Amino acid sequence: GGKKKQQENKILPHTDIYTKYVFLCKLFLKNRLKKCNQDILDYVEEFQDFSKMVLSRLSGLNSYKTEVKDEVENLLTRVERAQRDIDYFGSVRDSKMCVEVDEDLVKQQLLEEAEEKRNLKSCCDHLLASVKSLKMVKKTGDKHGSWMKDPGKKHTKIYLLNGTVNNVIFEFPNIMTFMESNHTLKARRVILPFPWEGTGHIIYQGFLFYHRHGSLNEIIKFNIQKRNIVDRMLLPGAGRIPAYQLSPSKKIDLAIDEQGLWAIHAEPEIGGNLVITKINHITMSVEHTWDTTCSSKDAEAAFMACNILYVVYNFPSGGTSRIQCAYDVLGTVNTYEIPVLHFPKRQGSHSTIHYDPKEKQLLAWSDGSQIIYKLQNQQKA
């Protein structure tokens, strides 16, 4: 039996050995390919993690770069403001240092100062006591916009600027024409070379002052009659956050009162409080700046009247507007003693409130309606 089995082993076909060899080779290659694929997947996963880490680091660097840039710009603004204050106090100090005094000259200066104070008091001796009544003039245009008169001119023209980004001014000869149903057909259209941003523009002495769309804080002075840009300026520190939380499109709010042109904006470095800037409308230069105690949180608008800033607050969903913060730049009035002043009962919100120093009233834009508010004033103490 053993001899027979030995003979069978000798005659095993070579094909079986080859088949086994091929099978083992395939199995080996399959395992190697599987390992290779797994290595590739591990490498791709590691590369993706690495890419995410690099992108995260780059994003952090860009954010840090922006923060540093903002801090530098803010520091430059503060230095510039401090320099102006130093120059001012230096000029005051120098004016007090004199060796020889001309008595006649001193008397003349005292008389001029007294006359200036009398003029200031005669044109600006009132304090807002209440928002008395409202008159719905018209309902036209978008939810946000601005309409106004020119308190620096004797004419009765009405100007309408619709929307938060636009470049068309509608000029009406008077308020009766504006109130007509087909009012835009009788309006003079003035096209601006650059669109405005927000609704904080103002018209004064024949010029439109507005925040140029796409710029951080550039204010343009535009001659309405000649239809050309006369001058422009940058407002230091402005444009980074909305002036009022409830009016996010408005970064700079320009205002007019008995003393001329003002700008209102908010700065993050002082907790989002409002900053007032007095602007010389002729030279387009900053005269002085005040950091106020009025917050931009829940504010929807503000206006200047007789050197006092009145800030209007509301609820995010809309409600009855109220003035609950005031700031007197001259410090002649204790604004903390001014009570909260409510607007006449009307649910809604304001995108713009302008003070008309000639008529002593407010022109407001509320949810597409143009409104006039009558004011009740009282004498300053």
Side-chain angles (χ1 to χ4, degrees), residues 339-380:
V340 175
L341 305 177
H342 291 271
F343 279 66
K345 291 183 178 179
R346 181 182 177 278
Q347 298 297 311
S349 59
H350 297 92
S351 61
T352 307
I353 298 178
H354 286 310
Y355 173 66
D356 181 355
K358 189 162 62 176
E359 302 292 336
K360 300 292 189 291
Q361 59 189 14
L362 300 178
L363 276 66
W365 187 295
S366 177
D367 300 321
S369 296
Q370 292 73 48
I371 302 173
I372 293 177
Y373 288 105
K374 297 291 184 179
L375 302 177
Q376 183 176 358
N377 296 316
Q378 65 185 34
Q379 292 293 116
K380 286 184 179 179

Side-chain angles (χ1 to χ4, degrees), residues 272-339:
N273 283 2
L274 297 179
V275 176
I276 307 172
T277 303
K278 183 69 180 70
I279 298 175
N280 186 314
H281 71 279
I282 298 174
T283 62
M284 290 294 281
S285 59
V286 173
E287 292 184 352
H288 200 77
T289 302
W290 296 265
D291 293 344
T292 77
T293 53
C294 296
S295 174
S296 62
K297 184 180 180 183
D298 293 332
E300 64 178 8
F303 59 92
M304 294 292 301
C306 199
N307 296 308
I308 298 178
L309 171 73
Y310 297 94
V311 186
V312 182
Y313 295 88
N314 207 327
F315 301 99
S317 58
T320 302
S321 300
R322 62 204 180 276
I323 298 171
Q324 64 181 46
C325 188
Y327 184 89
D328 182 9
V329 299
L330 299 180
T332 58
V333 176
N334 186 357
T335 50
Y336 289 103
E337 295 179 0
I338 297 177

Side-chain angles (χ1 to χ4, degrees), residues 142 144 161-168 194-199 201 213-214 249:
D142 298 340
H144 304 290
L161 294 87
N162 185 42
T164 57
V165 177
N166 205 335
N167 70 331
V168 181
F194 303 106
W196 65 72
E197 181 166 326
T199 58
H201 17 268
H213 174 64
S249 66

Side-chain angles (χ1 to χ4, degrees), residues 50-111:
F50 178 73
S51 298
K52 289 179 181 178
M53 182 189 70
V54 170
L55 291 174
S56 176
R57 293 285 179 86
L58 289 174
S59 177
L61 287 174
N62 287 332
S63 176
Y64 180 70
K65 179 183 176 182
T66 303
E67 290 177 7
V68 170
K69 183 180 177 182
D70 291 343
E71 289 294 332
V72 171
E73 289 179 352
N74 175 60
L75 179 60
L76 290 174
T77 300
R78 296 289 171 177
V79 169
E80 182 182 347
R81 189 179 299 177
Q83 186 61 50
R84 285 200 303 267
D85 291 340
I86 290 170
D87 293 341
Y88 171 75
F89 289 121
S91 64
V92 172
R93 182 198 63 195
D94 293 341
S95 66
K96 294 179 181 179
M97 294 173 62
C98 53
V99 178
E100 191 174 327
V101 178
D102 187 330
E103 292 185 2
D104 291 336
L105 180 60
V106 171
K107 287 180 181 178
Q108 180 64 28
Q109 289 177 343
L110 289 174
L111 288 172

